[in-house]
Amino acid sequence: MTVSESPVGTFVTWDYVVFALLFVVSSGIGVFFAIKERNAVSSKDFLVGGRQMTCVPVALSLTASFMSAVTVLGAPADVYRFGASYILYAIAYTFVVVVTAELFVPVFYTSGITSTYEVIYRPVSFITILYTGVVVYAPALALNQVTGFNLWGSIVATGIVCTFYCTLGGLKAVVWTDAFQMVVMVMGFLSVLIQGAQSVGGVEAMWSKAQTGGRLDVFDFDPNPLRRHTFWTLSIGGTFTWLGIYGVNQSVIQRCISCKTQTHARLALYLNLLGLVVILCCAVFCGLIMYAFYADCDPWSAGRVSAPDQLMPYFVMEILGEFPGLPGLFVACAFSGTLSTVAASINALATVTYEDFVKHCWANLSNTATTWTIKGLCVIFGIACTSMAVVASYMGGIVQAALSIHGMCGGPMLGMFSLGILFPCANSKGAIGGFIAGITVAFWAGIGAFIYPAPPFNSRPLPLITDGCPWLNSSITPATDAPFLTSLPPRPPLADSWYSLSYLYLSAVGFITTLSVGLLITSLTGFNKGNNVDPLLVRPVGNLFCFWSERGKQMCWGGAEAKPREQVRSERGSHEIEPKCTDPKDEGQSSKAMGKEWLETTRTGAPDGEEKCYSNSGFVSETHSF
């Protein structure tokens, strides 16, 4: 198959109808939960669904929230250009889900916290808004340039609809809307997979062309950390990158603690793994089918599209353009990823701001005032995220840098939380110093990579052919070959080493730096006393590696007795391990009952036992002061 000599079509009426249904149904879910929960005035009902969510909708919500339109449009294009090694992300997803479910969720769920960013919510909030603006703008621009879909109309509609159902229905509306959008994403991918496979002559023909083009060379065991995608960068580097996004992310933790039991929270993550793998496989096979379709005539090199992210919508319009409504279904698929990501960001930002700022400044707000305050925050952050899309339109090449910022911050944050959870002896000075060092090193490498992109022999894009394009003059050189034929401009010594580090290792660099510097500063300034640390809120690494030595355990615990978690559970009672509120009226009593005695002794100065908890396990008493 070759690119059509005439330009692809644009949206027709039925495409707009199908796309509009996505917004109508999403808004309808928000209205439904606003009516259904109109008598629930508690902040926990709005922010964490009253802790009554079950695992299936939460799992679908988690998958939809982190499979944005960037994934829907960018992953197939990555496979098209670099091959199917992208599928190795499945290994990273598996490690990430297991670590999150078995390490982070038990700690956060036991603590009953609502916000994970008490200390650093200001910079994290800004980064989240910036990333969300890019997530809204980038796919809208790609779809506009290929399909003629209205750019600013789609951006404004996305912001309005997300803000609408977040404000009306709270977390329950967000979760169930995400579940619906997840179904739309799968349907959109299936329409492309089925029609695309038929267009290239079947699965066998697709597989043969992909193999001929080198797209099926998945396993590359080169240990060179400068290579963009190898088995090691995707499995190890991908694990750290996604663990920074998943393990300590406000949106993930907020959904997990909304589950009615810790078992449901962990099951949601494991079911979410299945959803991640399904979307990943759909994206990879779409990329392979797209390559088989354009094996002899690459539309990017031929000048039909100006950027790789436009390949997927161009391909969709070419194979589905004759079926009214199906291009609209795929655009709905892409925007489902955008809607879910934006809604997750708005809800998380409102939660963080309320828990870490509003509640500390105005501690005596009534339930009604609290609910309206949170809804007002949803509106403010909805406007902020949509407005950031306007800013992103003027950023040009900095859009790529903005997307990288989200990953560069994930590693240091993961390192800081891991320092507290795994090393009870760590103190606040070590945590802050380690975090600053991790951010500095990660940004140093990331910004250097943006200014001095890695040379082609590290990224190794596969060849793209234009021989089958009948309208092209044979003397035209494909754009993708240019980097190999021209000499590179003068570059500093670090450009081909440190700045060429695979982007997937940036999170690992930030994590290792934060952990190492944090422990070093802790050892120099004095270990945190283990008696100030609640055993249920840590998972000390010393208990694992020093199981034969009680002295080693005590050193990790800062000199205190390392009690088994089972013993602490039996001493305090099982009601602390599965904190939940079965009735909104009992929420305050339930929160106070969860360890009020030890909570007051370890966090002196807390205004009330209700909804108070450890904000950064491992160095609680020191963190509280700053």
PDB file of all heavy atoms in Angstrom, residues 45 478 512:
ATOM      1  N   ASP A  45     -16.150  12.225  51.026  1.00  0.00           N
ATOM      2  CA  ASP A  45     -17.041  11.737  49.970  1.00  0.00           C
ATOM      3  C   ASP A  45     -16.649  12.332  48.629  1.00  0.00           C
ATOM      4  O   ASP A  45     -16.711  11.665  47.605  1.00  0.00           O
ATOM      5  CB  ASP A  45     -18.495  12.101  50.293  1.00  0.00           C
ATOM      6  CG  ASP A  45     -19.088  11.210  51.365  1.00  0.00           C
ATOM      7  OD1 ASP A  45     -19.165   9.992  51.145  1.00  0.00           O
ATOM      8  OD2 ASP A  45     -19.441  11.733  52.436  1.00  0.00           O
ATOM      9  N   PRO A 478      15.033  11.545   1.292  1.00  0.00           N
ATOM     10  CA  PRO A 478      14.116  11.425   2.421  1.00  0.00           C
ATOM     11  C   PRO A 478      14.636  12.175   3.634  1.00  0.00           C
ATOM     12  O   PRO A 478      15.824  12.138   3.939  1.00  0.00           O
ATOM     13  CB  PRO A 478      14.083   9.905   2.684  1.00  0.00           C
ATOM     14  CG  PRO A 478      14.499   9.284   1.388  1.00  0.00           C
ATOM     15  CD  PRO A 478      15.467  10.235   0.774  1.00  0.00           C
ATOM     16  N   ILE A 512      18.494   7.526  42.496  1.00  0.00           N
ATOM     17  CA  ILE A 512      19.734   7.089  43.143  1.00  0.00           C
ATOM     18  C   ILE A 512      20.436   8.261  43.832  1.00  0.00           C
ATOM     19  O   ILE A 512      20.942   8.140  44.954  1.00  0.00           O
ATOM     20  CB  ILE A 512      20.664   6.418  42.112  1.00  0.00           C
ATOM     21  CG1 ILE A 512      20.027   5.113  41.610  1.00  0.00           C
ATOM     22  CG2 ILE A 512      22.034   6.138  42.708  1.00  0.00           C
ATOM     23  CD1 ILE A 512      20.760   4.482  40.446  1.00  0.00           C
TER      24      ILE A 512
END
